[in-house]
Every structure is written in structure tokens, then in C-alpha cells.
Amino acid sequence: MVEIYRIEKGAEAWKYKAYDYVRTDAFCVGQNIPIEIEFSHDEKEEELQAVLLVEDHKPVAGCRIAFPDEKTGKIERVCVVREKQKGGYGRILIGEAENWLKEYGVNHIVINSQDRAAGFYEKVGYKLNPDVSPDVYDTHHKEEKETKPDLPKAQKSPISLGFTCVLVEKYL
């Protein structure tokens, strides 16, 4: 049975650690995204709002939510641990994130998706919007334009992550 947790200010420390575990497994190990890049843009822990899925006392999926403007919610860093991918956890995760955003009165949801995941989002009701840059709704990387994270010398050159990002959106 999957347990769903909302992580927000005052949440137990284990929930933050569990969400970070899922991100590390899915992105850093599974997709070879350097850990310095994956975690360099994070908000302060007390500002994080995230959804965490746990099954049999093990973290299996997570995402965070943000608010680029008053009526727009954004689902970010959607991830499922490698051994559970394609098992329906992403669908549960997106559904819970949408429910939470609806409670805030959001009527437009955007996701900055890897191009290879766009088909999944279309299956859960999102539309690809190729005319809009995903950066338009970027809430965590505004300061990155001026300051890049400190990377090891071997990684100072531009890093190719093997995908591009696209914007998918849904109107409620």
C-alpha cells in the first residue's frame, strides 16, 4: 500500500531525507545528473513543499510544488526510484500534487519536463506547449543566471545531460 505524505514547513526530518533519496536515485544515479547540479538550486528546507510516496516503509517517488504566479502552480523535480519506474507511481504522484495545488486555488499547472517524459504527461492530461520556453515559469533558478554552482574543475565546461526540457501544461 502506498502512503502519501505532504512535506511542508514543520514536517519531520525523515520526510526531507526520503525525498532527497528519491531524487538522488532517480536523477543522480539513474540519469547521471551531477549531484552538485541536482541540489544546487534548492530552496531552504522550511520553504519546501513536496509530495512523497512511501511503500513498505521505503521512499518510492516525490515531486515538489511551487507558485510562479497567483493562479499558476508548478510541479517540479518529479521522480520515481529506478526500481519502481513504470509502476504507476508517477500517476499517483501527479494526482496528489494536482489536488494540493487545487486547494490553493490554482487553475493552471505547468511542468518543466524532460523531452523524453512528455508522453507520460500527455497521458495524464497535460498538453505540450512548444511555443513557450520552460524557463518562463522557472521559480528556483532565477539567481542561477548570475551565479552558477561551484563545480569540480573537470566539470567547469558546459555539461550535456542528454535531454532538453519542454513545457507541458494543464488548465483545470
Side-chain angles (χ1 to χ4, degrees):
M1 182 174 131
V2 175
E3 296 173 80
I4 301 170
Y5 296 98
R6 290 183 178 180
I7 303 171
E8 53 192 328
K9 188 174 184 171
E12 298 92 333
W14 69 264
K15 292 177 183 174
Y16 295 98
K17 292 176 191 322
Y19 176 56
D20 286 349
Y21 168 81
V22 174
R23 286 176 61 191
T24 301
D25 183 78
F27 295 129
C28 300
V29 179
Q31 297 182 17
N32 293 316
I33 295 175
I35 198 162
E36 299 90 349
I37 291 176
E38 178 56 32
F39 289 96
S40 65
H41 320 314
D42 284 5
E43 62 278 283
K44 294 178 180 147
E45 196 171 270
E46 65 268 12
E47 296 171 5
L48 175 69
Q49 290 183 278
V51 177
L52 172 69
L53 302 186
V54 174
E55 185 176 60
D56 297 326
H57 308 286
K58 294 175 184 69
V60 294
C63 68
R64 62 186 181 207
I65 63 170
F67 301 90
D69 66 49
E70 189 178 329
K71 291 291 181 183
T72 299
K74 185 175 182 192
I75 301 174
E76 304 177 323
R77 307 312 299 149
V78 176
C79 50
V80 177
V81 295
R82 291 169 295 147
E83 68 183 56
K84 299 289 186 173
Q85 291 175 0
K86 303 208 184 297
Y89 299 94
R91 184 177 295 273
I92 295 167
L93 187 65
I94 294 300
E96 180 60 25
E98 289 175 352
N99 289 340
W100 198 1
L101 289 168
K102 286 179 204 172
E103 290 172 21
Y104 281 103
V106 163
N107 61 16
H108 178 223
I109 299 174
V110 296
I111 301 173
N112 184 347
S113 169
Q114 294 179 11
D115 53 358
R116 58 187 173 212
F120 162 75
Y121 293 111
E122 290 176 319
K123 287 179 187 170
V124 294
Y126 286 77
K127 302 279 185 248
L128 179 63
N129 188 341
D131 300 327
V132 177
S133 167
D135 296 337
V136 169
Y137 296 103
D138 205 342
T139 60
H140 288 88
H141 305 144
K142 288 183 181 7
E143 65 281 350
E144 180 190 342
K145 290 172 180 58
E146 294 88 40
T147 58
K148 297 283 185 199
D150 287 333
L151 296 174
K153 286 181 184 170
Q155 294 180 356
K156 292 284 186 196
S157 60
I159 296 171
S160 172
L161 299 176
F163 58 84
T164 57
C165 289
V166 296
L167 182 75
V168 294
E169 61 186 343
K170 179 189 269 190
Y171 286 90
L172 306 174

